[in-house]
Amino acid sequence: MDQPTQEFLEIQNIREGVVILKNGGIRGVLMVSSLNFALKSTEEQSSIVFAFQSFLNSLDFSCQIVVQSRRINITPYLDTLKNLEDNQSNELLRAQTASYREFIKELVQGDSIMTKSFYVVVPYTLTEILGVGAISKQSNLLFGKKTAGEQQLSDEEFEKCKNQLWQRMEFLAMGLKRCGLEIIPLTTPELIELYWSLHHPSEAENGYSPEILPELLK
């Protein structure tokens, strides 16, 4: 019997801006801005490199830097232009809007125009959550296996782990800000959209997005 796709994903749930994995670990994701290093002066470049080196040396836990490249998605912008065109009462302005919309549409039809997004994934592991002594009791979680008696994190445990994770994320954010970068933690809807786009790249590039339940828009 074929297994549903969800069985092959490592994600168990996403809540309150936290990704919960099937092995019991949790993850937070920071979206990071970029900077044009080549346009900086020699002194500024040296300062940025030194700040980033100091940031890396200050870490006492692992993290993952992810760079996502994708063809630029302007579907929402084209839809906005189309609405302006349809609601425009002046014929000349309507024709100009239509011409501009077609120009933008043709401009991005090739694969050469790309957009890059930068993320830092912050982990909090099962060992840190439950302690080494509790790992043997959670062997099914370690290997991502589901059983009828599988133990889940209680609300109290989740809150404790989330607070520890957010402390790490704030520490990372402060270190990256010293390098001249802007940092934003992803919310639950943004995390859902990010992971959905990773598994549906073609649909994401065409402007489609997952349907998110109202109770998750918090």
Side-chain angles (χ1 to χ4, degrees), residues 170-187:
E170 290 175 356
F171 178 79
L172 278 169
M174 289 189 295
L176 292 173
K177 284 180 179 178
R178 295 190 186 100
C179 301
L181 301 170
E182 297 295 329
I183 295 88
I184 299 176
L186 296 188
T187 62

Side-chain angles (χ1 to χ4, degrees), residues 30-42:
L30 298 169
M31 187 174 186
V32 185
S33 67
S34 61
L35 55 82
N36 198 324
F37 188 77
L39 294 181
K40 302 292 183 180
S41 66
T42 303

Side-chain angles (χ1 to χ4, degrees), residues 86-99:
D86 294 339
N87 297 324
Q88 184 57 255
S89 57
N90 186 296
E91 290 298 330
L92 177 59
L93 291 178
R94 179 182 298 176
Q96 290 177 335
T97 303
S99 176

Side-chain angles (χ1 to χ4, degrees), residues 29-30 50 55 64 77 103 115 119 124 135 139-140 144 178 190 214:
V29 181
L30 298 169
F50 178 77
F55 161 71
Q64 181 182 21
Y77 181 57
F103 168 75
T115 179
Y119 304 95
Y124 200 65
I135 294 298
S139 57
N140 288 322
R178 295 190 186 100
E190 290 168 340

